[in-house]
Amino acid sequence: MDRLYTMSIFLAVVDEGGFAPAARKLRISPPVVTRAVTELEETMGVRLLTRTTRVVRVTDVGARYAADCRRILADVADSEQAAAGTHEQPRGKLVITSSVLFGAMYVTPVVTEYLRRYPDTEVECRFVDRVVNMMDEGIDVAVRLGHLPDSSYQAVRVGQVRQVVCGSPAYLDARGIPLTPGELAGHDIVLASPVTASTEWRFESERQSVVVRVRPRLVSTSNDAVITAVVGGFGLTRLISYMVAPHLAAGRLKTVLAQYESAPMPVNVVHHEGRRSTPKVRAFIDLAVAMLRVEGAFN
């Protein structure tokens, strides 16, 4: 079989979790799927998949090969689109990543507008609270918060965010407003572990760092749960400003210790330089930059 075709079949097995589901997705017979994977394994002399009567699992070698297949197939598709002409209408699948809450609040509106404008496109959103390896996981565009250590990516800055300490007006009226980081010891603290896993909170004071150890009464892995608790009047929390922007604007939350905040973190639209020229990626980046730069939550 054609090697690119067998790669696409292998990826379908990995993504669908089995030979029969992959065959249904590709609309081919199960024996064709089995033969394609067997051909790959025999050619390379390695086991890519572990089969049992109930489940198909990817081996470590198979997982690495699947990442390579995604990258190769994506590059081939991009090259074909580029060769067709830079003015071609965007088409094909785009894979986007961002953190969970940021993606839900700000990236999703960009995605839906993109899909409305370009009917020949489709988008897969991978919203996860971890740093994704864009190359290995076949990501076209990422929206990331914070400084980018890897210079192999191209980044377009669209704004900035801050870490803020906040609480509800009712809580602050009842317990008082802390005027220095040290006064947090007298307050109920709600800790959002995806944002601040450590109980040592760092602040900036007169160009010096101030570290305060807090004792949280509530810890949650869900940023939404933390926001619900604090809006409901229980304690103070530390979150990234965009997460609570609607509540701050509506007066449901107020920030404290603003004069001790650390330097803002940039918000960037990130992509591989080589893929910037494809119509689907170029159109998404242009739209994302335009929409995110007017978003008041981080500008």
Side-chain angles (χ1 to χ4, degrees):
M1 291 185 187
D2 175 82
R3 181 55 62 87
L4 294 178
Y5 182 50
T6 56
M7 285 181 174
S8 65
I9 293 175
F10 170 66
L11 278 182
V13 175
V14 173
D15 293 340
E16 299 300 315
F19 290 83
R24 288 193 295 270
K25 177 183 179 181
L26 298 175
R27 298 182 180 179
I28 58 179
S29 67
V32 173
V33 175
T34 302
R35 186 166 67 253
V37 175
T38 301
E39 180 180 305
L40 283 174
E41 291 180 327
E42 290 177 348
T43 300
M44 293 185 289
V46 296
R47 177 73 71 178
L48 300 174
L49 301 172
T50 300
R51 296 91 151 166
T52 68
T53 55
R54 293 186 177 182
V55 68
V56 174
R57 289 192 174 90
V58 186
T59 65
D60 291 341
V61 173
R64 291 193 295 270
Y65 183 65
D68 289 338
C69 288
R70 291 187 200 281
R71 182 170 62 252
I72 291 168
L73 293 173
D75 287 343
V76 170
D78 290 346
S79 297
E80 290 175 345
Q81 285 198 23
T86 57
H87 299 293
E88 182 187 359
Q89 186 77 356
R91 58 170 46 86
K93 184 177 181 179
L94 198 64
V95 184
I96 309 298
T97 190
S98 179
S99 59
V100 174
L101 190 54
F102 191 94
M105 295 175 68
Y106 302 109
V107 179
T108 298
V110 178
V111 169
T112 54
E113 179 60 25
Y114 174 81
L115 293 171
R116 289 190 188 101
R117 293 189 184 189
Y118 306 110
D120 293 330
T121 61
E122 54 188 90
V123 175
E124 178 184 342
C125 295
R126 299 181 188 172
F127 296 154
V128 291
D129 289 327
R130 62 179 175 86
V131 178
V132 174
N133 188 312
M134 295 178 63
M135 183 67 74
D136 288 348
E137 299 188 37
I139 304 297
D140 294 299
V141 182
V143 183
R144 287 184 170 167
L145 281 60
H147 298 282
L148 303 173
D150 193 336
S151 60
S152 66
Y153 298 126
Q154 296 294 309
V156 182
R157 183 163 175 161
V158 295
Q160 62 184 25
V161 292
R162 316 176 330 271
Q163 277 198 328
V164 298
V165 179
C166 58
S168 71
Y171 175 85
L172 294 172
D173 286 344
R175 299 290 297 273
I177 297 175
L179 301 179
T180 65
E183 294 181 20
L184 292 173
H187 286 268
D188 295 330
I189 301 298
V190 184
L191 187 70
S193 57
V195 176
T196 310
S198 173
T199 56
E200 293 186 346
W201 288 5
R202 184 176 299 275
F203 297 89
E204 300 295 329
S205 174
E206 297 179 352
R207 299 181 182 179
Q208 293 182 344
S209 294
V210 177
V211 178
V212 175
R213 181 178 292 277
V214 296
R215 298 181 60 185
R217 294 195 62 203
L218 173 61
V219 178
S220 179
T221 58
S222 166
N223 295 325
D224 287 329
V226 169
I227 293 170
T228 297
V230 176
V231 169
F234 186 84
L236 301 175
T237 192
R238 194 179 204 182
L239 292 169
I240 303 176
S241 55
Y242 80 85
M243 297 177 172
V244 291
H247 299 290
L248 293 173
R252 293 185 291 270
L253 291 176
K254 292 183 177 180
T255 60
V256 298
L257 302 175
Q259 66 272 34
Y260 294 96
E261 290 177 3
S262 300
M265 299 178 289
V267 181
N268 290 298
V269 177
V270 183
H271 61 95
H272 293 291
E273 184 176 15
R275 295 188 182 179
R276 179 66 173 87
S277 60
T278 62
K280 65 177 182 180
V281 174
R282 183 173 61 251
F284 184 85
I285 292 172
D286 291 344
L287 180 62
V289 169
M291 292 182 64
L292 294 176
R293 278 183 173 168
V294 300
E295 174 55 58
F298 41 93
N299 285 290

